Amino acid sequence: MYMTMQPTQDATRSGYAARRKSPIGIGGAIAVHAVVIGAFLLMPKEVIDWVRPTPPITGYPVPLPPPPEPAPPEPTTQTVQTNPLPQKPTTTDPIIPMPVPAGPTIETGPSSPFDGSGTGTVIDPPLPPPHIPVLVEASIAPNALGSFQPDYPGAMIRQGLEGNVTVRVTISPEGRVSDIVKISATDESFWLATQKHALRKWRFRPATRDGVAVSSVKTLTVRFTLTDR
């Protein structure tokens, strides 16, 4: 259920209605402003000048004070030289010879460290020279000279041909031929006869180093010559 409220009085009759502006009041305000402006224009010039800013401060050079006068020199004191008292000669301690230690050779003489001068040189003994081993080359054993010549190949005898063979043999410490290499040969039959005979019959005195038998290599030439021609 809704209820409505109605005003008891008309709004036009209330005291809050807008009032109209009075033309007399507006004219009075304009007149007051006109009077103030006219009074300012008619004000004497002397009254207006007091608001003028003061002129800026100007500076001027200030002379520097004169330098201080130099201080007077201090009085010098005269030194009196006196003769020194004569000194008595001092006695030196006697020099006691030091025993020479055993070992390195010590150089004696003016520069010896034991002559009282305080200087000297100690010489070490010379080192022994390096050992050079004594080498002895291999040679044909004297008891093998008769059987050293290889057998003459029969084909070369029938043809009446002579020749020679040069070989390089390796000799063991026991004096035997352990290896043989052909360097040159007049004919292949001469080389085969020399190779077979050397491995079976050749004997040597082995090479030695400081008296100890060692392996060595030797080059030999074998000649095949016909005696009955």
Side-chain angles (χ1 to χ4, degrees):
M1 176 177 174
Y2 297 95
M3 297 178 65
T4 60
M5 299 294 292
Q6 293 183 0
T8 57
Q9 295 180 0
D10 191 358
T12 57
R13 297 179 180 179
S14 64
Y16 296 98
R19 296 181 180 180
R20 294 181 180 179
K21 294 182 179 180
S22 175
I24 298 174
I26 295 173
I30 294 173
V32 172
H33 284 83
V35 171
V36 173
I37 294 173
F40 181 78
L41 294 176
L42 296 176
M43 185 179 299
K45 184 179 181 181
E46 291 78 3
V47 178
I48 300 174
D49 289 342
W50 70 273
V51 296
R52 184 178 300 174
T54 57
I57 301 173
T58 58
Y60 60 91
V62 179
L64 297 176
E69 296 181 359
E74 297 180 357
T76 58
T77 58
Q78 184 177 1
T79 58
V80 178
Q81 184 178 2
T82 60
N83 294 326
L85 296 177
Q87 297 182 355
K88 296 180 180 182
T90 57
T91 59
T92 59
D93 296 335
I95 299 174
I96 301 175
M98 300 294 293
V100 179
T105 304
I106 300 177
E107 181 182 0
T108 59
S111 61
S112 175
F114 304 105
D115 60 357
S117 61
T119 59
T121 303
V122 178
I123 300 177
D124 294 334
L127 297 175
H131 174 69
I132 300 176
V134 179
L135 300 177
V136 179
E137 293 185 0
S139 61
I140 300 174
N143 56 357
L145 286 175
S147 61
F148 204 82
Q149 181 67 34
D151 296 335
Y152 210 107
M156 296 294 102
I157 294 176
R158 291 189 294 270
Q159 297 177 17
L161 298 177
E162 298 180 344
N164 55 70
V165 178
T166 302
V167 295
R168 182 172 62 248
V169 295
T170 301
I171 304 170
S172 67
E174 291 77 18
R176 294 179 177 272
V177 177
S178 59
D179 188 25
I180 182 170
V181 178
K182 180 180 70 174
I183 297 178
S184 63
T186 306
D187 190 84
E188 190 69 14
S189 59
F190 290 139
W191 153 243
L192 294 176
T194 302
Q195 179 186 28
K196 181 180 179 181
H197 188 80
L199 292 173
R200 295 177 57 188
K201 299 291 186 178
W202 283 2
R203 298 293 183 269
F204 295 87
R205 286 180 176 176
T208 59
R209 176 178 302 191
D210 290 340
V212 179
V214 294
S215 179
S216 61
V217 177
K218 196 174 184 67
T219 302
L220 298 172
T221 298
V222 180
R223 301 184 185 278
F224 292 86
T225 305
L226 293 174
T227 57
D228 297 336
R229 297 188 59 182

